[in-house]
Amino acid sequence: MAEFTLYTQENAPEEAKPLLADSVAAFGMLPNLHAVMAEAPTLLKGYQVLHELFQKTSFNAEELTVVWQSINVEHACHYCVPAHSGIAAAMKVDQGVVDALVNKTPLENPKLETLRETTLAMTRERGVISDEQIEKFFAAGYGKQQLLEIIVGLSQKVMSNYTNHLADTPVDAAFKKYVK
């Protein structure tokens, strides 16, 4: 495995320094994921933009968590699963929802379970999902907008999950308690 640098605001490539400052401002710390992504400032910028955009979708905190964690767990991301467990706690998402997602057990809320199933189908089938799955998604109360918004979350998670697979990014101290 290639060794990747965990950059700081001091030693990062020039283009990445303001992006890392934005990360510290947003998270109160420099996440190791961002420290790795600083190697390619365009990746870090793209990730930051998608993160911000996904949070502006029509999904609430629970639904954001369902999309993020469904993808993280499916991709077996050793970094993002605990990180998003911590983020979910900070967003006041019910711990039962987070546990079900991490443990791959059905969610008690049928609408959220349909969102999880649809997100997994999108992830596994690279966007080619059945008409039946789409109809089930719509019947659960979601629309075309939400179906397309899953793609924003999926795009963000591909960037982070793949980076973490390549770099074996160390889990931040703030999220270590969520490692299972």
Side-chain angles (χ1 to χ4, degrees):
M1 178 174 277
E3 276 197 42
F4 285 82
T5 302
L6 289 174
Y7 286 100
T8 66
Q9 290 178 271
E10 291 74 37
N11 71 352
E14 281 304 313
E15 288 179 58
K17 287 180 180 181
L19 301 173
L20 292 180
D22 291 345
S23 295
V24 171
F27 295 97
M29 61 178 240
L30 178 56
N32 287 337
L33 169 65
H34 299 210
V36 169
M37 285 181 163
E39 184 80 39
T42 54
L43 174 65
L44 177 56
K45 179 66 175 176
Y47 179 79
Q48 288 174 333
V49 168
L50 283 174
H51 180 73
E52 181 181 341
L53 291 174
F54 190 55
Q55 290 183 305
K56 291 180 179 179
T57 63
S58 62
F59 292 126
N60 64 32
E62 278 190 329
E63 293 166 325
L64 290 169
T65 298
V66 168
V67 173
W68 278 327
Q69 285 293 58
S70 296
I71 299 163
N72 291 334
V73 170
E74 181 66 19
H75 286 167
C77 185
H78 73 281
Y79 180 92
C80 286
V81 171
H84 278 281
S85 293
I87 291 167
M91 293 184 344
K92 309 282 191 249
V93 173
D94 181 86
Q95 188 61 45
V97 170
V98 176
D99 290 343
L101 292 165
V102 171
N103 296 324
K104 299 181 184 182
T105 57
L107 294 162
E108 290 182 16
N109 179 316
K111 184 175 182 182
L112 291 179
E113 178 60 15
T114 299
L115 176 59
R116 184 186 72 82
E117 291 170 355
T118 304
T119 300
L120 287 172
M122 293 274 284
T123 304
R124 291 172 180 159
E125 304 304 324
R126 293 176 283 203
V128 182
I129 62 175
S130 70
D131 289 341
E132 293 80 16
Q133 185 65 53
I134 293 171
E135 289 170 19
K136 183 176 180 181
F137 186 73
F138 293 161
Y142 293 110
K144 293 174 187 173
Q145 177 182 349
Q146 291 77 35
L147 189 62
L148 294 172
E149 287 174 339
I150 292 171
I151 298 169
V152 179
L154 181 57
S155 299
Q156 178 197 1
K157 293 288 77 196
V158 165
M159 295 172 100
S160 61
N161 294 168
Y162 288 17
T163 297
N164 292 321
H165 292 320
L166 289 171
D168 195 23
T169 310
V171 175
D172 301 288
F175 304 126
K176 284 192 182 209
K177 68 182 179 183
Y178 300 103
V179 173
K180 297 212 174 195

